[in-house]
Amino acid sequence: QQYFHTSTYSVEVRTLNGNKDLFVFLDSGNATFGKRQTEWLKELLQRNKEYRHIVVTTHTSLFRTTYNYSTTPAANMPQDEAYALFDLLDRNNVDLFVMGHFHYREEHQIGNVRYVMTNNLNDTEETPTYLVVSCGDNIDYKYEYLTGDFHISD
C-alpha cells in the first residue's frame, strides 16, 4: 500500500505497436472480494473492450483442490461469489486468472478463461519455481525454476 495506496489495482501496458494489455490485481486477503471490489472489477472490465489480453491475479484460490480437503467446493470464497466471478471473467474476455494460496500447481479451464494456481516460492522447496506470463499474439505462461544461490526471507 505504500506505493500503490490500495491493495486492488490495475495496470495497462501499451506495446510499441499499439496493443494494450490489462493486468488486474485483486485483494482476497479475507477469502472474499466483497461487493465494492467486485463492482470495481465489473466496471473496469466492461469499460474498455480494446484490450488484446487481460490477466487477473489474486492470492486466494477459487477452487477446492485435491490437496486440501478442508475447503468448500469453491475454495475459501463463498460459492456464489466464485461462480459469479467465473461468469464475469468469461463474459469480459479475461484470458488468464492467476492465484495461489494452496501452494500447489493446478490448472482449470472454464469457458475461455484459463485458471492457473501457482505453487509456493520458498527456499525450503527442493526446486522452487515462479510463473512467467508472456503477452504476444497469444498469451503464454510457463514455470521457471529458481536457480543459483538464493534465499527468500519471511
Side-chain angles (χ1 to χ4, degrees), residues 41-110:
L41 177 63
K42 182 178 180 180
E43 290 173 16
L44 176 68
L45 294 176
Q46 293 176 346
R47 185 178 335 149
N48 190 338
K49 298 288 185 177
E50 298 176 14
Y51 293 112
R52 177 180 61 171
H53 298 296
I54 301 174
V55 177
V56 179
T57 186
T58 192
H59 175 82
T60 298
S61 176
L62 302 179
F63 299 95
R64 172 173 56 181
T65 75
T66 56
Y67 313 105
N68 185 331
Y69 298 105
S70 65
T71 59
T72 63
N76 298 333
M77 190 168 291
Q79 290 182 20
D80 57 339
E81 185 176 337
Y83 296 146
L85 186 64
F86 296 149
D87 182 58
L88 175 67
L89 299 174
D90 191 45
R91 284 186 292 111
N92 288 282
N93 303 315
V94 170
D95 298 286
L96 182 64
F97 190 95
V98 180
M99 59 202 151
H101 189 68
F102 292 123
H103 300 192
Y104 200 89
R105 288 188 199 175
E106 194 166 289
E107 298 183 22
H108 301 275
Q109 182 82 32
I110 297 179

Side-chain angles (χ1 to χ4, degrees), residues 57-59 61 65 67 97-107 115-132 141-146 152:
T57 186
T58 192
H59 175 82
S61 176
T65 75
Y67 313 105
F97 190 95
V98 180
M99 59 202 151
H101 189 68
F102 292 123
H103 300 192
Y104 200 89
R105 288 188 199 175
E106 194 166 289
E107 298 183 22
Y115 295 85
V116 177
M117 183 168 53
T118 63
N119 57 335
N120 57 336
L121 180 61
N122 188 322
D123 60 358
T124 62
E125 293 292 315
E126 186 174 321
T127 54
T129 61
Y130 57 95
L131 189 70
V132 176
Y141 60 90
K142 64 181 179 177
Y143 288 92
E144 291 283 346
Y145 287 97
L146 191 61
I152 302 165

